[in-house]
Amino acid sequence: GDTIFALSSGHGRCGVAVIRTSGPGSRGALQTLTSPPGLPPPRVMALRRIRDPDTAETLDRGLVVWFSGPQSFTGEDCAELHVHGGPAVVSGVLRALGRLPGLRPAEPGEFTRRAFRRGKLDLTAAEGLGDLIRAETEAQRRQALRQMEGELARLYQRWSETLTQVSGWVWPPGFHLVGLTTPGGSCHVPPSPILPPCSFPAVDATVRVLEQEISAHLQDGRRGELLRGGVHAVIAGPPNVGKSSLLNLLCQRPAAIVSPVAGTTRDVVEVALNVGGYPLVLSDTAGLRDATDPVEQEGVSRARDRLQQADLVLAVLDAPTVATEPVGLGVTLGSLLPPPAATTPCILVLNKVDLLRGGEGVLRDACTRGNPLPPTTLLSCKTGEGLDHLLELLGQQLARLCGDPLAGSPSLTQSRHSLHLGDTVVALAQYGRERRRGDLGLAAEGLRLARRHLGRITGHVGAEDILDIIFRDFCVGK
């Protein structure tokens, strides 16, 4: 029942800062800080003089807006003060709000948590809102906005409604709804001679289709998670082939030390980039070789560990020294990327083409004939030749790994979604197993567990939906 307040815009100097309140004291707080002439109509912005309630000193002149619950973001009474963004103005208004009785500073995420509790958002939409705030690329923005607007929730809700329906069909007369409760305590369905017979073949077919849909949803190659967190790409190769130069070229700044001395890079250097609207987390690593120096050995070990975790590998080789026939190129690349890194998507970068002295054609021909190689580009980090082609290849690989966030069904974006959906599939398999054994009670329990796991994704878990189906369709107790 308390009222919270916080700065909802970014910290630091800015033209306009937005201070938000939510809770039953919002109306009184806004009246106290702006009276006279009183509150504007709901959802209408008005220019007001904002005063300190203790001294009546004017803190600022700004726009205020009042949202009466439940027509607000949180579903509660809310107010916003749009003031000038200087630190002194913002801190003065926040201090004034903090001195009002019944108001306290909001905890992290508390506005969104209140919106969830009042049914304004489900958990997937709340997660989408958080991702939208953190989005740094166009593709991330599109995916987060799609999730925040409820597309993922609607998919899970459709599956949940299907489970609710078949659960209402399967519960046998007189069978207790184990673990399902109402506000009055545990409940059960009494025997009823008017329950229509259940068409188990139809239920079995529905459950099989649902199990297949959820399994296919899980097998999406982690597209949504990669887009949300960024594709982790590792620059790998022997020492002194230009790995650090490539990192600097891609991020357009001297992020890594470049030296003609082999083995300069000892630790992993990581930068975040936006390539074609997709997020890329690029790591420069130590040159892969049998090192004797203990520090370099640790760097090589870290480089190999990072390779095993990579979503994408940029394998860099020295163009003037590589074999100019396909078999030799393939052998060199295979020795550089042993399993399981060999199965990771890869782009082969043949660097230092400026030193080939006219031999580019022979090398290009070797890359396009014989045994298939990964997408390959010739590059000069010194002159920038081939950079456009490399960026084109990078964009293609990122688009393949992340997919189009606007196409098809919405993708999984959180590991917890995968966990609960995996448990849902296990529970549906329990239904099929127990049905074949003839244990209707345990089969029905499998459906209940499946629905509960789905409900944990969106935050909607309860017995009332199943009870509604039973009472509406089967007239229990009539």
Side-chain angles (χ1 to χ4, degrees), residues 99-137:
R99 289 196 296 269
L100 297 178
L103 271 70
R104 64 168 176 83
E107 298 175 359
E110 192 168 3
F111 286 95
T112 305
R113 187 162 62 246
R114 291 191 175 200
F116 165 70
R117 286 175 175 168
R118 291 196 170 248
K120 292 293 184 176
L121 298 170
D122 66 16
L123 287 183
T124 60
E127 289 166 336
L129 174 59
D131 290 347
L132 185 64
I133 293 171
R134 290 185 291 269
E136 296 181 350
T137 72

Side-chain angles (χ1 to χ4, degrees), residues 238-241 243-244 257 259-267 285-289 291 293 295-297 299-300:
N240 210 27
V241 294
K243 298 184 300 299
S244 297
I257 296 174
S259 168
V261 179
T264 301
T265 301
R266 303 296 181 94
D267 207 347
T285 58
L288 300 176
R289 66 174 175 178
D293 179 78
V295 178
E296 188 179 356
Q297 286 177 341
V300 172

Side-chain angles (χ1 to χ4, degrees), residues 2 4 22-24 67-72 74-78 114 118:
D2 52 357
I4 57 174
S22 179
F67 302 93
S68 59
Q71 284 77 38
S72 69
T74 63
E76 304 175 319
D77 287 350
C78 291
R114 291 191 175 200
R118 291 196 170 248

Side-chain angles (χ1 to χ4, degrees), residues 9-21:
S9 53
H11 290 272
R13 290 180 176 85
C14 55
V16 176
V18 179
I19 298 171
R20 173 189 286 175
T21 71

Side-chain angles (χ1 to χ4, degrees), residues 56-71:
E57 177 189 0
T58 298
L59 300 174
D60 194 17
R61 292 181 72 235
L63 295 172
V64 301
V65 59
W66 155 249
F67 302 93
S68 59
Q71 284 77 38

Side-chain angles (χ1 to χ4, degrees), residues 319-459:
T321 62
V322 297
T324 56
E325 41 84 21
V327 175
L329 270 175
V331 170
T332 303
L333 184 61
S335 64
L336 182 68
L337 304 175
T343 60
T344 304
C346 176
I347 296 176
L348 177 57
V349 180
L350 301 177
N351 189 30
K352 304 183 183 179
V353 294
D354 55 293
L355 301 180
L356 287 178
R357 305 180 189 279
E360 297 95 329
V362 176
L363 194 54
R364 290 183 196 278
D365 183 58
C367 295
T368 56
R369 61 183 172 84
N371 294 328
L373 291 170
T376 304
T377 185
L378 274 62
L379 177 72
S380 170
C381 290
K382 182 177 181 179
T383 67
E385 178 187 352
L387 177 60
D388 290 342
H389 187 225
L390 174 59
L391 290 175
E392 180 184 347
L393 293 180
L394 264 177
Q396 292 171 359
Q397 290 288 338
L398 293 175
R400 187 180 64 82
L401 288 168
C402 298
D404 184 347
L406 298 181
S409 297
S411 298
L412 288 164
T413 60
Q414 304 274 347
S415 58
R416 77 172 191 91
H417 298 178
S418 302
L419 176 65
H420 289 310
L421 288 173
D423 291 339
T424 302
V425 172
V426 171
L428 292 176
Q430 174 185 327
Y431 166 82
R433 185 172 59 253
E434 298 302 336
R435 269 280 294 121
R436 289 188 294 272
R437 292 173 54 186
D439 193 327
L440 182 58
L442 289 179
E445 177 69 2
L447 295 181
R448 184 190 72 83
L449 289 173
R451 186 179 178 280
R452 185 170 183 83
H453 289 305
L454 273 178
R456 284 175 174 165
I457 300 177
T458 59

Side-chain angles (χ1 to χ4, degrees), residues 14-17 60-62 82-90:
C14 55
V16 176
D60 194 17
R61 292 181 72 235
H82 297 233
V83 298
H84 292 96
V89 174
V90 172

Side-chain angles (χ1 to χ4, degrees), residues 197-208:
C198 175
S199 176
F200 281 111
V203 173
D204 295 345
T206 300
V207 171
R208 281 196 301 271

